[in-house]
Amino acid sequence: MNAWVLLLGGLTVWAIHFFLLYSFASLFPGQEIARILTLAATAPALAVDALLLWAAAGRAFQTDELDRWVYDVSATGAALSFIAVIWQALPALLV
Amino acid sequence: MNSETGFDPELLNRFPTSEERPKGEVEELNRIWAAPSGWARLTVVNNNYIGIFYTGTAFLFFLLAGALALVMRTQLALPLNGILPQETYNQFFTMHGTMMMFLFAVPMMEAIGILLLPQMLAARDLPFPRLSAYAFWAYFVGGLSFFASLFFGLAPNGGWFMYPPLTSITYSPGINADFWLLGIGFIEISAIAGAIEILVGVLKTRAPGMTLARMPIFAWAMLVFAGMIIIAFPAVILGTLLLEFERALNWPFFDAARGGDPLLWQHLFWFFGHPEVYIIFLPAAGLLSMMVSTFARTELVGYHLIVLAILATAFISFGVWAHHMFTTGMPDLSISFFSAASMAVSVPAGIQVFAWIATFATGRPRYNTPTLFLLGALITFVMGGLTGVMVALVPFDWQVHDSHFIVAHLHYVLIGGAVFPMFAAFYYWMGMTSSRALSERLGTWVFWLMFAGMHITFLPMHLTGLMGMPRRVYTYLPESDWMATNLISTIGAFTLGAGILLFLVDLARNFRFTVEDDAGNVYGGGTLEWLPTGLYSTRSIPVVRSRSPLWDDPNICEDVEKGRYLLPNAPTGHRETIITSPLRAEPQYLQIMPGPSPWPLLAALFTAGFFVLLTIQAYTPAVISGVLTIPCVLRWLWETDRPVAVRTADVGAGIRLPTYVTGPSTHGWWATIILLIVVFMIFLMTVFSWFFLYGIHPRLWSAPDNLLSLVPVLGGYGAAAGLLFLGRHLLARTKSTHWSPATQILLAAIALVAAFGIDLWSWRESALDPELSAQAALTFAFLSQQGLLVAITAIMALYLALRNARAMITRPRNTTFDVVFLFMLYTAGQGSVTAVLTRLAPAGFPA
């Protein structure tokens, strides 16, 4: 996978997920459907994060300094995004 | 080692070379890169000069805005004080906030970037030096004109975020608001020009071997900073455009009675406004990371985590804009999402703070003036961050919204996150630009006065806010119990001012600008900006093999100075730098760079003239000034994109690089794409506005009656696109005639003009009146953008034809041709989407 996609993938997932959540909440204010859509969008976002983590892991044992560094940033980014996506969706369950 | 471009990385192992360089190379470099003298110095484009002009101007605005703050604090020291009348106070706080954000903070970061980056990346200069010069002069003239409005009582008075309806023509009938709208809109153009320069510069002009993993953290921060400007600033450009249209033409974007909504402004403004905070903070954090490593005398702890934190901050910062709007009645779920994101954004900031602490803990720290500022920044920023998490909690925000608590919070964040790091950077990097370092003894006094003054001012201000004192009030009653904390804040403000005054004394005593005889690496930094340099930057461009080359290779300074690395001379006889690949910094080609020129300066003066004259409603002179800008820009560009006689050049150790390259790997292509992203973001924000207003008032929208006109409009744009591809194809064919490719471009321009003309005509003939409904007003806003793009493409096509007439269009590819092709193709695309969206989107929605 392209290095830029890996580097920015996790954060992009978070951003798309966030804007979807904002759209649902704005399009269906005060309605149950907004919560359902929030959870529905969260599952694929987490799946893509897991996929990115797996793709980044392919570079974990590279000897090339840059490839190894891309792995470090990408894997941490995907993991961070995984947690952030869950955090971002929590209001749909709690509020 | 892997390769990104096909370049053999092993070739770089030939450096440093061992043979002696021929005599006269340094003299030749000095001659080529010499700055003009006397009045001609105004035409200089070298980053050393433009960077120092830029930094000096930004600091001047910091002082001016600070002086306004001192007068305001004097007014608020005691209840019912009579120093500033209410109207003047309104102008002062508006100008203070606006200047600090738009004229000081962002430009200062760009200025430091332009000053430091070429040396830090070991480039001869950033790739578009004339663009840097234009950005600076536009900012300088525009900024001073904006500030001068204060002396005529014409300064804006609606607060730095200029909310309508207060700033609508009904409640702000003078031209004060127009000064803000046109002035800031103009200064944003300058900021975007600088951002394009920095973005392409960091990605394409790094020294060979400086992979993404070895880039100085400041370069990472500036890369992200520039990217954020590209995404965020279009929102405020659109906002100012719409509000100015509403004020000048009575188009009701923000008038609820006619289908508009004042909240649209808040969304547009804060989509820019909150990332703006991080746009200011990230470069400052980058500076801190660089300095922490030097002062702790060890490598930065958690380099990859800091890079990730910078990237994460940028992304999350675009998801927090509505936390400024918690009190506007948004849906509960929406504000909860923004609250969650606002808390989350503190995580990457925290990562950086912990990395700095860990670096200090694992190193052998030295304590000096910049370290004091650095620690002061850390403490202050963390305190501001903590109150930031407090106001991210919705119920707490409701309590303190628009109170002095917020004023205290934002000053903690901005002074801790930008001002103290900036002063640390002044002390640290002064040795690069001055023949004498600043005084350590005075510096300690400066720090303690500023640090104490800052906390004496703003710590009690939290209490003032919690006790209920609102922002933006020019006085208060004695029985309100706000006097004690206000008086303390005023004493603190003057203490802070005394610290800055002392810094000015130090500056006057010790700062002596120089390019070649600088004080040097006073604090022992390990990055490339501390290599010996002249106006040509480094004598030769080193191969980078670690993040701190000066620490890891004790001979690097001598080897660079002796010309043992790349490009030790000027093989083409012109100004030139090495363009490298974005990931691994592999050498790709030699970029021929333009030298000093009066045209960027003149273009900036006329652009500024256009906006200033427009503001004071001198329409004819404004148009003349605007028209005069065009030949200046074209003349400046005329000398660029010229292949040189030498097709490839030896850059050292037998490595030859081409001197003229076209296509997607070039710096010109990248800059055009980035510019088009800016244009696209303005368009995207207009699309957001379209759906936002429809969502608020769907019943006020109607299906347009000009559906049939869609056919010729789309036909015209489609024909333009086809002609563009045909022209590009013909350029690559050796059998086509000299004029056939350029003719296709001219025909494509005619098709664009025709398609736009039909679109405009069909809307003018329709029943929709832009003064009566926001739907029609937005339609005409779309058309205004498209009209501007079409006008630019027409000028571009004529310019291309002119170059073609002078046989300056190279075959099979040409950079100017590529740029015009991309811009026109985008224009055709945006025109098509505009035509479809404005006709079909409302009709397709349920009423």
Side-chain angles (χ1 to χ4, degrees):
Chain A
M1 199 179 280
N2 182 291
W4 287 110
V5 175
L6 276 179
L7 282 172
L8 302 178
L11 297 169
T12 307
V13 169
W14 178 87
I16 293 171
H17 178 253
F18 172 82
F19 281 99
L20 281 176
L21 266 50
Y22 166 61
S23 307
F24 299 149
S26 303
L27 288 171
F28 308 104
Q31 297 175 41
E32 203 55 27
I33 184 75
R35 295 174 197 280
I36 294 167
L37 287 171
T38 296
L39 298 177
T42 301
L46 293 175
V48 176
D49 275 335
L51 187 71
L52 284 166
L53 205 54
W54 180 76
R59 297 187 180 218
F61 302 104
Q62 293 275 353
T63 52
D64 180 77
E65 182 200 358
L66 181 66
D67 281 338
R68 171 74 203 186
W69 182 82
V70 168
Y71 158 75
D72 284 342
V73 177
S74 310
T76 320
L80 188 70
S81 171
F82 195 92
I83 298 167
V85 163
I86 294 173
W87 168 258
Q88 198 60 59
L90 276 179
L93 297 175
L94 301 178
V95 177
Chain B
M1 196 188 288
N2 301 330
S3 173
E4 182 186 358
T5 60
F7 179 87
D8 179 7
E10 295 298 325
L11 290 175
L12 296 178
N13 291 335
R14 296 178 184 176
F15 298 99
T17 55
S18 51
E19 63 270 23
E20 285 292 308
R21 297 298 311 175
K23 290 195 186 312
E25 286 183 341
V26 176
E27 291 73 15
E28 177 74 350
L29 281 171
N30 272 322
R31 184 189 64 75
I32 291 171
W33 287 89
S37 54
W39 282 103
R41 181 64 55 86
L42 294 175
T43 66
V44 73
V45 295
N46 303 49
N47 82 293
N48 322 58
Y49 283 96
I50 295 297
I52 209 77
F53 291 171
Y54 222 140
T55 309
T57 307
F59 194 66
L60 172 69
F61 286 125
F62 170 73
L63 296 177
L64 293 173
L68 297 181
L70 287 182
V71 183
M72 285 192 290
R73 279 309 329 161
T74 310
Q75 165 68 15
L76 291 178
L78 298 169
L80 298 177
N81 229 346
I83 293 165
L84 284 178
Q86 183 177 6
E87 170 56 25
T88 314
Y89 186 86
N90 291 349
Q91 294 187 16
F92 268 45
F93 73 67
T94 303
M95 289 296 278
H96 170 73
T98 305
M99 288 176 69
M100 283 294 190
M101 297 303 273
F102 291 101
L103 296 181
F104 158 62
V106 175
M108 178 59 89
M109 297 308 159
E110 281 199 346
I112 295 176
I114 287 171
L115 188 64
L116 294 184
L117 279 175
Q119 274 74 19
M120 208 175 261
L121 307 174
R124 291 260 190 257
D125 203 334
L126 291 174
F128 306 104
R130 289 188 178 179
L131 188 64
S132 291
Y134 172 81
F136 164 69
W137 287 113
Y139 155 70
F140 178 77
V141 179
L144 284 181
S145 308
F146 181 70
F147 181 72
S149 65
L150 203 56
F151 298 111
F152 303 97
L154 294 173
N157 52 6
W160 86 278
F161 33 67
M162 296 290 286
Y163 284 169
L166 176 63
T167 52
S168 66
I169 200 78
T170 311
Y171 301 104
S172 298
I175 64 169
N176 305 56
D178 302 309
F179 257 106
W180 195 97
L181 295 169
L182 291 168
I184 294 307
F186 170 56
I187 288 162
E188 300 313 293
I189 294 173
S190 157
I192 285 172
I196 292 174
E197 170 82 317
I198 287 167
L199 204 52
V200 182
V202 173
L203 287 173
K204 301 293 288 179
T205 62
R206 303 198 304 272
M210 189 187 277
T211 64
L212 287 185
R214 293 176 189 158
M215 238 162 72
I217 284 288
F218 179 64
W220 262 111
M222 290 309 290
L223 179 67
V224 174
F225 157 91
M228 290 177 74
I229 286 180
I230 298 301
I231 303 296
F233 277 38
V236 77
I237 289 177
L238 176 70
T240 53
L241 193 70
L242 297 186
L243 189 49
E244 192 54 45
F245 276 162
E246 177 169 304
R247 290 175 55 83
L249 305 172
N250 195 23
W251 292 1
F253 304 103
F254 308 109
D255 179 359
R258 290 179 284 169
D261 190 353
L263 279 189
L264 173 62
W265 169 268
Q266 295 198 27
H267 279 289
L268 291 175
F269 185 86
W270 289 116
F271 185 79
F272 141 82
H274 201 83
E276 160 100 334
V277 175
Y278 298 99
I279 285 171
I280 295 163
F281 167 65
L282 287 181
L287 294 170
L288 286 180
S289 291
M290 305 281 292
M291 289 185 282
V292 164
S293 171
T294 300
F295 296 137
R297 287 179 280 187
T298 184
E299 292 289 345
L300 190 64
V301 172
Y303 174 90
H304 89 270
L305 286 175
I306 291 184
V307 171
L308 180 65
I310 290 172
L311 291 167
T313 304
F315 273 79
I316 300 175
S317 72
F318 284 99
V320 298
W321 81 89
H323 74 209
H324 296 268
M325 301 164 62
F326 281 163
T327 57
T328 59
M330 290 168 66
D332 283 351
L333 199 54
S334 289
I335 60 172
S336 303
F337 290 145
F338 283 104
S339 174
S342 303
M343 284 184 249
V345 80
S346 61
V347 173
I351 289 173
Q352 293 186 76
V353 168
F354 281 112
W356 297 331
I357 294 170
T359 308
F360 263 122
T362 55
R364 292 169 293 126
R366 278 174 300 191
Y367 292 98
N368 45 41
T369 300
T371 310
L372 284 174
F373 272 106
L374 200 149
L375 293 173
L378 211 65
I379 293 165
T380 310
F381 179 73
V382 168
M383 289 173 77
L386 289 174
T387 51
V389 176
M390 289 163 74
V391 291
L393 302 168
V394 180
F396 187 84
D397 182 79
W398 285 340
Q399 293 301 312
V400 297
H401 183 79
D402 257 348
S403 75
H404 268 67
F405 186 93
I406 300 296
V407 182
H409 156 69
L410 71 91
H411 281 88
Y412 263 86
V413 171
L414 292 172
I415 295 178
V419 175
F420 285 162
M422 178 190 78
F423 274 89
F426 281 167
Y427 281 90
Y428 179 73
W429 275 285
M430 189 58 71
M432 241 184 84
T433 55
S434 167
S435 54
R436 298 205 316 234
L438 294 178
S439 160
E440 275 291 320
R441 191 171 56 87
L442 274 181
T444 309
W445 276 96
V446 171
F447 168 75
W448 284 113
L449 281 170
M450 286 184 67
F451 185 74
M454 189 274 155
H455 287 274
I456 294 169
T457 309
F458 295 107
L459 200 60
M461 202 178 279
H462 291 100
L463 293 176
T464 316
L466 288 172
M467 288 191 289
M469 181 167 174
R471 302 167 71 175
R472 306 184 203 94
V473 290
Y474 80 112
T475 194
Y476 50 92
L477 296 171
E479 54 268 30
S480 57
D481 287 339
W482 301 333
M483 191 187 90
T485 50
N486 266 304
L487 188 59
I488 294 169
S489 288
T490 302
I491 292 167
F494 278 90
T495 312
L496 178 58
I500 293 168
L501 193 63
L502 200 57
F503 176 76
L504 291 178
V505 171
D506 195 4
L507 214 53
R509 289 180 63 212
N510 288 313
F511 175 65
R512 301 288 179 271
F513 177 68
T514 181
V515 176
E516 287 165 341
D517 182 29
D518 55 52
N521 195 358
V522 178
Y523 297 102
T527 38
L528 296 180
E529 74 273 24
W530 298 113
L531 288 170
T533 55
L535 268 172
Y536 46 79
S537 189
T538 53
R539 158 76 198 281
S540 58
I541 297 176
V543 175
V544 176
R545 298 189 169 97
S546 72
R547 284 179 200 144
S548 306
L550 270 69
W551 288 351
D552 299 328
D553 179 0
N555 298 322
I556 193 169
C557 291
E558 187 190 344
D559 288 338
V560 164
E561 193 65 351
K562 298 273 186 192
R564 293 172 186 151
Y565 281 102
L566 289 92
L567 205 61
N569 52 2
T572 67
H574 295 84
R575 293 186 178 205
E576 59 209 3
T577 196
I578 297 178
I579 295 291
T580 50
S581 62
L583 278 175
R584 293 179 182 273
E586 293 168 358
Q588 291 184 293
Y589 63 95
L590 268 191
Q591 182 203 345
I592 311 296
M593 311 186 88
S597 165
W599 300 108
L601 168 63
L602 289 171
L605 289 177
F606 286 126
T607 322
F610 170 72
F611 280 96
V612 173
L613 292 166
L614 204 59
T615 307
I616 59 170
Q617 299 175 350
Y619 297 118
T620 308
V623 171
I624 293 170
S625 191
V627 169
L628 284 173
T629 307
I630 298 168
C632 293
V633 173
L634 296 183
R635 184 67 184 77
W636 135 25
L637 294 172
W638 188 257
E639 295 161 13
T640 61
D641 189 28
R642 293 188 177 194
V644 291
V646 193
R647 286 184 169 242
T648 62
D650 185 346
V651 293
I655 298 173
R656 297 195 74 82
L657 292 179
T659 58
Y660 189 76
V661 172
T662 57
S665 68
T666 60
H667 59 287
W669 184 286
W670 281 58
T672 310
I673 295 293
I674 296 167
L675 177 64
L676 290 177
I677 292 173
V678 173
V679 179
F680 172 72
M681 282 305 300
I682 295 176
F683 178 70
L684 191 66
M685 287 294 139
T686 320
V687 173
F688 165 80
S689 307
W690 178 263
F691 287 106
F692 180 84
L693 290 186
Y694 175 77
I696 301 286
H697 303 289
R699 293 183 190 284
L700 295 180
W701 285 52
S702 57
D705 53 3
N706 58 351
L707 272 180
L708 278 179
S709 59
L710 197 54
V711 177
V713 172
L714 289 183
Y717 286 131
L723 287 163
L724 287 168
F725 279 106
L726 180 63
R728 201 151 184 264
H729 173 71
L730 290 175
L731 187 71
R733 279 174 63 98
T734 49
K735 287 182 180 173
S736 62
T737 66
H738 174 68
W739 269 99
S740 48
T743 305
Q744 308 312 311
I745 300 295
L746 284 169
L747 289 173
I750 292 169
L752 286 178
V753 172
F756 170 70
I758 295 167
D759 202 6
L760 181 64
W761 170 80
S762 76
W763 283 109
R764 289 179 67 91
E765 291 297 308
S766 79
L768 286 175
D769 183 341
E771 290 191 31
L772 297 181
S773 81
Q775 178 194 3
L778 266 178
T779 302
F780 278 84
F782 274 121
L783 288 170
S784 305
Q785 289 175 37
Q786 185 63 15
L788 184 63
L789 287 181
V790 168
I792 293 170
T793 56
I795 294 168
M796 282 178 142
L798 291 171
Y799 172 72
L800 188 81
L802 210 57
R803 286 182 77 97
N804 194 59
R806 292 297 186 93
M808 289 162 67
I809 304 297
T810 52
R811 290 185 177 222
R813 290 275 176 262
N814 177 268
T815 299
T816 304
F817 198 98
D818 281 347
V819 169
V820 174
F821 169 84
L822 286 172
F823 203 93
M824 292 179 81
L825 192 64
Y826 175 84
T827 303
Q830 181 169 313
S832 304
V833 176
T834 295
V836 172
L837 183 80
T838 47
R839 285 169 178 80
L840 297 182
F845 290 151

